[in-house]
């Protein structure tokens, strides 16, 4: 096992989907994978491996925020030879041309985190998705008929859900940033540095400008669409 994951080498697939919520990992395993078995329960951060259309796929909870995400993604890549990581998560929309329930494919992830200031000695680094994964996801979104509500562009990974200046997201939105979440910059940086491929696929769960809400049925449908897109991408790469 690794420090935070109680699995043997070989228990985890080369391609891993990572929701923030470990109960989402369990839900995906039970509803989208065949023959899934749980390989990790340490700290309740569930990880499962099963198959989708005959391909071995794992799904591992990450927890919220870059520090938690980095622990799991680093161990997956370093200790379990994971090659492709797709974050499946939610985000807040920060522009009027992005609607609730839309899908975002994060080309790059700006961040308020200091991780890259630390790693790159105070210089800038641009956390970026893997082009092949991104291109595959875009083509699959087209095949699934999702392009009318799919956006491709930069996102923002904040360190804080609460407490920051209200103008922060608006400032990034002015520069074309589509939505805000809390993990993708950690994923893109870690994967690049460790030689793995990464992409964040997000659904818009809340709107920071319109404050629109979704019903639980709508959230369910949106989540199912994102899962189909993530799984079809995972088996096409
Ligand atoms: N902020 C940060 N992370 C999020 C949000 C948000 O508004 N919505 C979903 N994840």
């Amino acid at each position: 096992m690794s420090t935070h994951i109680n699995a043997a080498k070989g228990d985890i697939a080369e391609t891993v989907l990572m929701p923030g919520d470990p109960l989402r990992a369990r839900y995906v395993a039970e509803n989208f994978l065949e023959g899934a078995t749980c390989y990790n329960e340490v700290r309740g951060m569930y990880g499962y491996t099963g198959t989708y259309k005959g391909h071995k796929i794992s799904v591992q909870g990450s927890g919220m925020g870059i520090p938690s995400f980095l622990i799991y993604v680093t161990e997956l890549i370093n200790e379990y030879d994971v090659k492709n990581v797709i974050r499946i998560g939610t985000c807040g929309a920060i522009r009027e041309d992005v609607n609730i329930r839309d899908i975002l494919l994060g080309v790059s992830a700006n961040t308020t985190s200091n991780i890259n200031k630390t790693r790159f000695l105070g210089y800038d680094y641009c956390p970026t998705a893997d082009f092949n994964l991104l291109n595959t996801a875009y083509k699959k979104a087209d095949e699934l008929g999702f392009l009318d509500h799919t956006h491709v562009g930069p996102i923002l990974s904040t360190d804080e859900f609460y407490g920051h200046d209200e103008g922060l997201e608006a400032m990034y939105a002015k520069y074309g940033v589509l939505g805000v979440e809390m993990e993708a910059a950690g994923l893109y940086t870690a994967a690049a540095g460790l030689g793995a491929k990464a992409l964040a696929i997000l659904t818009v769960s809340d709107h920071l400008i319109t404050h629109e809400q979704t019903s639980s049925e709508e959230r369910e449908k949106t989540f199912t669409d994102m899962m189909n897109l993530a799984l079809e991408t995972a088996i096409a790469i």
Side-chain angles (χ1 to χ4, degrees):
M1 71 171 290
S2 61
T3 308
H4 300 88
I5 302 176
N6 188 17
K9 263 203 195 308
D11 284 352
I12 303 179
E14 278 196 357
T15 299
V16 180
L17 309 183
M18 294 187 74
D21 180 354
L23 295 178
R24 276 285 158 129
R26 172 183 282 174
Y27 181 85
V28 169
E30 288 174 352
N31 293 281
F32 293 89
L33 300 182
E34 281 169 22
T37 54
C38 183
Y39 63 75
N40 189 56
E41 292 188 337
V42 177
R43 290 176 183 254
M45 202 59 81
Y46 299 118
Y48 291 82
T49 299
T51 60
Y52 176 73
K53 296 187 178 174
H55 297 257
K56 188 175 172 184
I57 301 284
S58 294
V59 55
Q60 169 67 56
S62 70
M64 288 181 278
I66 289 174
S68 181
F69 198 99
L70 282 177
I71 288 172
Y72 293 100
V73 79
T74 301
E75 291 183 23
L76 288 174
I77 298 169
N78 275 347
E79 312 283 338
Y80 296 99
D81 301 327
V82 168
K83 304 282 183 249
N84 308 296
V85 181
I86 302 176
R87 164 162 156 68
I88 44 171
T90 58
C91 67
I94 60 175
R95 295 169 57 95
E96 280 176 359
D97 54 357
V98 176
N99 295 310
I100 205 125
R101 298 187 299 280
D102 283 356
I103 294 172
L104 306 190
L105 305 179
V107 173
S108 57
N110 304 279
T111 186
T112 59
S113 160
N114 257 337
I115 53 159
N116 288 331
K117 294 266 186 303
T118 312
R119 286 186 191 218
F120 294 91
L121 310 176
Y123 298 110
D124 276 343
Y125 172 73
C126 181
T128 308
D130 174 75
F131 179 73
N132 181 37
L133 261 179
L134 178 66
N135 193 32
T136 303
Y138 186 78
K139 287 180 183 158
K140 291 292 164 191
D142 191 9
E143 283 173 32
L144 290 164
F146 294 166
L147 281 194
D148 61 344
H149 62 289
T150 298
H151 305 261
V152 184
I155 55 178
L156 170 65
S157 306
T158 56
D159 254 358
E160 292 173 307
F161 189 88
Y162 300 110
H164 52 273
D165 189 285
E166 282 180 3
L168 178 85
E169 283 92 355
M171 182 175 73
Y172 278 95
K174 187 177 162 197
Y175 285 79
V177 174
L178 302 171
V180 56
E181 50 84 80
M182 299 184 69
E183 293 83 15
L187 166 62
Y188 290 176
T189 299
L194 299 172
K197 297 177 175 177
L199 176 66
I201 302 179
L202 308 167
T203 56
V204 177
S205 59
D206 50 294
H207 207 298
L208 275 66
I209 302 171
T210 66
H211 304 292
E212 217 181 327
Q213 304 282 335
T214 46
S215 67
S216 56
E217 290 81 23
E218 287 171 327
R219 282 197 296 276
E220 187 68 37
K221 166 84 174 76
T222 312
F223 182 76
T224 301
D225 284 354
M226 176 173 66
M227 281 315 306
N228 287 330
L229 176 56
L231 285 165
E232 288 299 323
T233 302
I235 65 170
I237 47 171

